[in-house]
Amino acid sequence: DAKTTQPPSMDCAEGRAANLPCNHSTISGNEYVYWYRQIHSQGPQYIIHGLKNNETNEMASLIITEDRKSSTLILPHATLRDTAVYYCIVRPPLNTGTASKLTFGTGTRLQVTL
Amino acid sequence: DSGVTQTPKHLITATGQRVTLRCSPRSGDLSVYWYQQSLDQGLQFLIQYYNGEERAKGNILERFSAQQFPDLHSELNLSSLELGDSALYFCASSVSLTGEQYFGPGTRLTVT
């Protein structure tokens, strides 16, 4: 599986955009980038995923660079409830036997402050 | 609320014992996954079942086993428990083999 690198921690002021970077320089052409978050020992929560194009949903936006070697998760207006560990995961191609498992790294601990 | 339920929420047991953790997937989801989260190992994939059949295996110990029943709920059995098995155990479900996974609230296992 492609390895991901994330900063261990970040701070963000409430109401501001939180931009969480992720490097995945060994990603292959048909691997997806997934983002999950975990709020204080709760079950991880799916946020968004993408392959090549930028994606947006009600929770966040995902910007993937043209060479796909890095991506940024954007929470447009962070709130205190967004304080969590954010995991960037590169997922094997969905038609392979290893696509099922999610390989979680250490993630980025985002602290949203007043 | 993800729609995935897990019981019990907390479990305290002694070394050498056997426990069963239960998971009910979201309505309509056929795939169930088990993950273990410990302080030193992080979140690790254990095993996946799809419509009653084992489909993928991760770092699951031989002392651990799982199954998925016809009603699609799943159980994770942990036997000959050791102190190092103390962890959070999460179940996740997805509608297909490779769909987005939705996680339950977890079972916190403490082995004393």
Side-chain angles (χ1 to χ4, degrees), chain B:
Chain B
D1 184 358
S2 66
V4 178
T5 60
Q6 291 186 246
T7 56
K9 286 187 178 178
H10 302 277
L11 198 49
I12 301 174
T13 189
T15 54
Q17 295 299 306
R18 183 178 189 273
V19 297
T20 298
L21 312 183
R22 182 188 169 101
C23 168
S24 293
R26 295 186 318 161
S27 176
D29 284 0
L30 298 178
S31 200
V32 169
Y33 312 76
W34 286 97
Y35 289 81
Q36 178 194 56
Q37 186 173 32
S38 58
L39 281 175
D40 55 346
Q41 295 287 329
L43 260 164
Q44 292 208 311
F45 168 76
L46 295 178
I47 198 164
Q48 177 200 15
Y49 278 81
Y50 179 79
N51 205 19
E53 293 189 7
E54 181 186 307
R55 294 305 298 256
K57 226 170 184 178
N59 302 320
I60 187 166
L61 300 172
E62 284 191 12
R63 300 183 285 109
F64 296 1
S65 65
Q67 54 185 328
Q68 185 179 28
F69 294 87
D71 67 352
L72 300 177
H73 91 272
S74 178
E75 293 181 355
L76 179 67
N77 300 296
L78 315 176
S79 62
S80 303
L81 285 167
E82 303 175 359
L83 295 177
D85 297 327
S86 295
L88 272 166
Y89 290 85
F90 291 106
C91 168
S93 73
S94 66
V95 65
S96 65
L97 272 172
T98 55
E100 289 81 60
Q101 296 178 25
Y102 294 87
F103 284 74
T107 293
R108 183 176 292 279
L109 173 67
T110 303
V111 182
T112 62

Side-chain angles (χ1 to χ4, degrees), chain A residues 49-112:
Chain A
H49 75 278
L51 182 62
K52 295 180 182 178
N53 300 321
N54 298 337
E55 302 288 344
T56 296
N57 63 20
E58 65 278 3
M59 286 184 68
S61 294
L62 174 61
I63 308 298
I64 302 175
T65 58
E66 196 166 338
D67 62 8
R68 302 208 330 119
K69 293 185 176 182
S70 66
S71 60
T72 301
L73 179 74
I74 301 172
L75 308 178
H77 305 286
T79 70
L80 297 177
R81 288 187 297 180
D82 292 321
T83 293
V85 178
Y86 287 78
Y87 296 98
C88 170
I89 299 166
V90 171
R91 194 169 186 188
L94 301 186
N95 59 354
T96 63
T98 56
S100 304
K101 68 173 189 175
L102 297 175
T103 301
F104 289 82
T106 53
T108 295
R109 184 172 298 276
L110 176 69
Q111 180 70 50
V112 181

